[in-house]
Amino acid sequence: MLVKPFETALYEKLRLFFEKHDFTLVADKKQFRKVTSTGFQNVIFTATAYEDEVWLEVNFGCRNHQIEQIAQQFLGNTRDFWGDSNTIVVSIGKYNDAKYFRYKIMTEPDVEDVCDIIKDFLVTDGFPFLDASDSLLSLNDIFNKTPYKSCKYVYNQVHRSFKGVICSKLINDDNFMDLADKHRNALTKIGATPEELRTYEQLLGFLLYFSVN
């Protein structure tokens, strides 16, 4: 089963559902995306083909433009990626605390069943989570409530600390300096490289003189 024809069929089966929820297909980025007042929400599909089956992983997340416009200057990603970066993103499996979870698809009926399962999850859990999580206050809670603990809504914990201090500054958090110290300690604990630690200090220097309009 080839990935490309499978993806095309999958998108067609899901298109009307996503359009109903104001998402549009961005096929070249393998996702459905909904523009919001703060950035966008998206649902991303990653299909891996084997001899007679496809394994499908589904990630969902959101982008906050204010955070990303600052963060991407310090994270080392290629500039072409900056406009598409997610602020938080998590797979359905990880969201449900099921490690290495993917959907196994072998037949046409499997596709129908998986689509129904995905739609049910998004309506019940996925979309409400995204709607509740794309504000600065909500993201501040996600990133900064427990800075010493791993955050399951990002795949890179170094990036989590960078985005956490940015978010804290954007909401004018009175605990910004204390939080910056906690994230510095967290970065050291998780084994951030010397270059990442230097860049973190550069980010803090930028944020100290950054004014929120």
Side-chain angles (χ1 to χ4, degrees), residues 105-140:
I105 298 169
M106 299 183 67
T107 66
E108 183 64 25
D110 289 342
V111 180
E112 296 287 349
D113 291 343
V114 166
C115 285
D116 287 341
I117 294 170
I118 292 169
K119 289 187 284 188
D120 287 344
F121 169 81
L122 290 172
V123 170
T124 303
D125 293 285
F127 291 155
F129 170 77
L130 293 179
D131 289 339
S133 300
D134 64 0
S135 71
L136 285 174
L137 287 176
S138 296
L139 290 168
N140 185 66

Side-chain angles (χ1 to χ4, degrees), residues 117-182:
I117 294 170
I118 292 169
K119 289 187 284 188
D120 287 344
F121 169 81
L122 290 172
V123 170
T124 303
D125 293 285
F127 291 155
F129 170 77
L130 293 179
D131 289 339
S133 300
D134 64 0
S135 71
L136 285 174
L137 287 176
S138 296
L139 290 168
N140 185 66
D141 190 59
I142 288 172
F143 288 135
N144 296 327
K145 187 175 182 179
T146 54
Y148 292 120
K149 293 183 179 180
S150 178
C151 175
K152 76 175 181 179
Y153 303 112
V154 293
Y155 285 103
N156 187 314
Q157 297 304 312
V158 171
H159 290 189
R160 174 269 187 96
S161 288
F162 280 56
K163 294 181 183 186
V165 294
I166 293 169
C167 192
S168 176
K169 179 65 176 182
L170 289 173
I171 66 169
N172 288 312
D173 188 350
D174 291 337
N175 296 318
F176 171 75
M177 292 305 299
D178 178 61
L179 185 68
D181 287 340
K182 289 179 178 178

Side-chain angles (χ1 to χ4, degrees), residues 14-60:
L14 291 171
R15 185 191 295 269
L16 291 178
F17 165 79
F18 276 104
E19 288 179 352
K20 178 181 176 182
H21 293 276
D22 300 320
F23 284 74
T24 57
L25 177 63
V26 187
D28 61 321
K29 302 183 188 304
K30 303 180 185 297
Q31 64 185 253
F32 286 89
R33 182 180 292 187
K34 174 183 177 180
V35 176
T36 68
S37 61
T38 56
F40 62 69
Q41 300 174 4
N42 59 355
V43 181
I44 309 162
F45 298 87
T46 304
T48 305
Y50 297 96
E51 288 185 4
D52 57 355
E53 61 191 31
V54 171
W55 288 87
L56 178 68
E57 183 172 61
V58 182
N59 282 268
F60 61 103

Side-chain angles (χ1 to χ4, degrees), residues 68 70-77 158-160 162-163 199:
E68 294 305 310
I70 298 173
Q72 292 305 315
Q73 300 177 58
F74 294 90
L75 295 181
N77 295 320
V158 171
H159 290 189
R160 174 269 187 96
F162 280 56
K163 294 181 183 186
T199 304

